[in-house]
Amino acid sequence: MLPDISKANIEVLHDELFIQKQVTLSVLRLDKIHPAVSGNKLFKLHYFLEEALASKQDTILTFGGAYSNHLAATACACKALNLKSIAVVRGETPVTISHTLQESMDNGMHLKFISRQQFSKKDDIDFIDDLKKEFGNCMMIPEGGYAPAGAKGAALIMDLIKYNSYSHICTASGTATTTAGLLLAVKPVQMVVSLPVLKGMTDNKTRIKELTESSTDFKNLLILDEYHFGGYAKKTAELIDFMNDCWVKYRLPLDFVYTAKMLYGVIDSIQKDRFAKGSKILCVHTGGLQGNKSLPLNSLLF
Ligand SMILES: *Cc1c(COP(=O)(O)O)cnc(C)c1O
């Protein structure tokens, strides 16, 4: 059985600032679905898993780094569906294994570590052929579900919203697959706000065209790219303080890699009047809370 997506709910955040700026801010809590297969990952995997089952594949092979929520989610979902899972992991075999990879292994995932240099060539035909020779005929899912099927799966997130009168739907962005999925599903009057967590990610629009298989740019896409806090998985004391503040004020747990940066960027943008009066903002909590286990002990109040 796959995790139950009906556990996701929408919570309204209360704050003087939002009253003063005449906006509302709600959070779609996809993190509540499951501790490991949380957030957007299960959605991005949806059509891949469906196809694997329909075509009677018994093994899924995918790619990611040591802190990849995608690997943790794939391992857990495959276990639930009785599929074997293999991960090709960026970087040589480490001395101590990350929590994320340990959890993936505990769910039966087989790990194959390759050098960063080899990993950068993972999409080459020769490399793919070698993998097929080594592991047999398995279904391959690109890193982070980056493919049109992944975006179509992410589009299903919008089905969770019953009364959809939001003016803005905001998400943290890694591969941009979730952003692309939201763009496929929202109404043309709704803005999708993407907050990249990688530094210098300038190819968002190209990615989104590829993922949505469309030839033109989306007019309802807003990219706020100044909230990466130094780059992927980088953090500052200010970010950690912000996470603790959100816990105290809203009882909202955030992860430091994605959702904290997203919400920080959204609230900072409210402060800076980037959202018009009357905006009804929905932030997608894409999960990832298990990643906080890599923070020093006692950094967080939750
Ligand atoms: C993977 C992940 C994202 C990024 O999703 P993309 O579709 O790759 O842009 C955002 N938030 C969390 C918590 C994630 O784990």
Side-chain angles (χ1 to χ4, degrees):
M1 270 283 287
L2 281 176
D4 177 9
I5 57 168
S6 70
K7 285 188 186 152
N9 68 335
I10 293 178
E11 290 171 4
V12 181
L13 304 190
H14 298 284
D15 200 301
E16 272 303 312
L17 173 71
F18 312 149
I19 298 172
Q20 186 201 328
K21 300 289 184 183
Q22 296 180 40
V23 300
T24 62
L25 182 55
S26 306
V27 181
L28 174 61
R29 297 283 308 269
L30 299 184
D31 58 303
K32 288 189 173 176
I33 294 174
H34 187 275
V37 196
S38 72
N40 55 349
K41 297 297 186 279
L42 184 61
F43 292 89
K44 292 202 283 182
L45 289 170
H46 179 88
Y47 289 107
F48 291 109
L49 297 174
E50 197 177 78
E51 200 200 315
L53 295 177
S55 58
K56 305 226 169 358
Q57 294 271 8
D58 67 353
T59 308
I60 302 274
L61 184 149
T62 192
F63 307 84
Y67 299 99
S68 164
N69 293 328
H70 166 71
L71 293 186
T74 305
C76 191
C78 284
K79 187 182 178 194
L81 295 170
N82 271 322
L83 295 165
K84 285 181 227 152
S85 63
I86 300 165
V88 175
V89 187
R90 183 193 308 113
E92 302 291 355
T93 312
V95 181
T96 47
I97 208 131
S98 70
H99 281 99
T100 309
L101 292 182
Q102 187 58 52
E103 200 165 294
S104 305
M105 282 166 70
D106 293 347
N107 280 320
M109 189 172 242
H110 172 79
L111 307 183
K112 177 186 171 70
F113 291 93
I114 60 173
S115 71
R116 282 170 184 273
Q117 198 213 345
Q118 267 182 306
F119 194 87
S120 66
K121 295 187 194 137
K122 70 183 184 326
D123 299 321
D124 291 1
I125 297 288
D126 290 349
F127 185 66
I128 300 282
D129 278 349
D130 287 348
L131 285 177
K132 283 188 179 151
K133 270 183 214 133
E134 186 172 350
F135 296 112
N137 189 24
C138 41
M139 177 179 210
M140 294 203 189
I141 302 181
E143 184 176 19
Y146 180 86
K152 275 194 204 103
L156 301 172
I157 291 171
M158 290 304 290
D159 292 351
L160 293 174
I161 306 167
K162 281 204 193 77
Y163 305 103
N164 180 8
S165 58
Y166 298 99
S167 57
H168 298 78
I169 319 287
C170 311
T171 185
S173 194
T175 63
T177 310
T178 304
T179 305
L182 294 175
L183 282 164
L184 287 173
V186 300
K187 304 167 194 164
V189 293
Q190 295 179 307
M191 291 294 289
V192 172
V193 184
S194 157
L195 296 102
V197 300
L198 289 95
K199 190 174 173 178
M201 193 177 169
T202 51
D203 61 346
N204 255 294
K205 289 192 171 163
T206 323
R207 283 170 172 265
I208 283 162
K209 274 195 212 159
E210 204 170 291
L211 288 161
T212 56
E213 301 180 297
S214 73
S215 52
T216 51
D217 285 331
F218 285 84
K219 292 196 181 69
N220 57 337
L221 169 65
L222 175 65
I223 299 172
L224 299 176
D225 58 9
E226 74 248 54
Y227 298 106
H228 53 69
F229 284 81
Y232 185 74
K234 296 267 169 34
K235 58 187 184 294
T236 64
E238 191 190 6
L239 187 70
I240 302 294
D241 287 347
F242 173 76
M243 291 166 72
N244 284 325
D245 282 351
C246 287
W247 176 250
V248 171
K249 265 176 150 166
Y250 318 124
R251 290 285 138 183
L252 183 67
L254 298 167
D255 83 295
F256 77 99
V257 181
Y258 294 99
T259 53
K261 294 179 183 182
M262 181 272 303
L263 195 66
Y264 185 102
V266 171
I267 293 179
D268 189 57
S269 298
I270 293 174
Q271 190 99 48
K272 291 178 175 154
D273 296 314
R274 285 194 189 129
F275 292 98
K277 280 184 185 144
S279 292
K280 286 184 72 182
I281 306 162
L282 180 71
C283 290
V284 183
H285 192 314
T286 41
L289 294 173
Q290 60 92 17
N292 285 343
K293 286 181 194 154
S294 71
L295 289 173
L297 212 60
N298 301 325
S299 309
L300 297 175
L301 300 172
F302 55 91

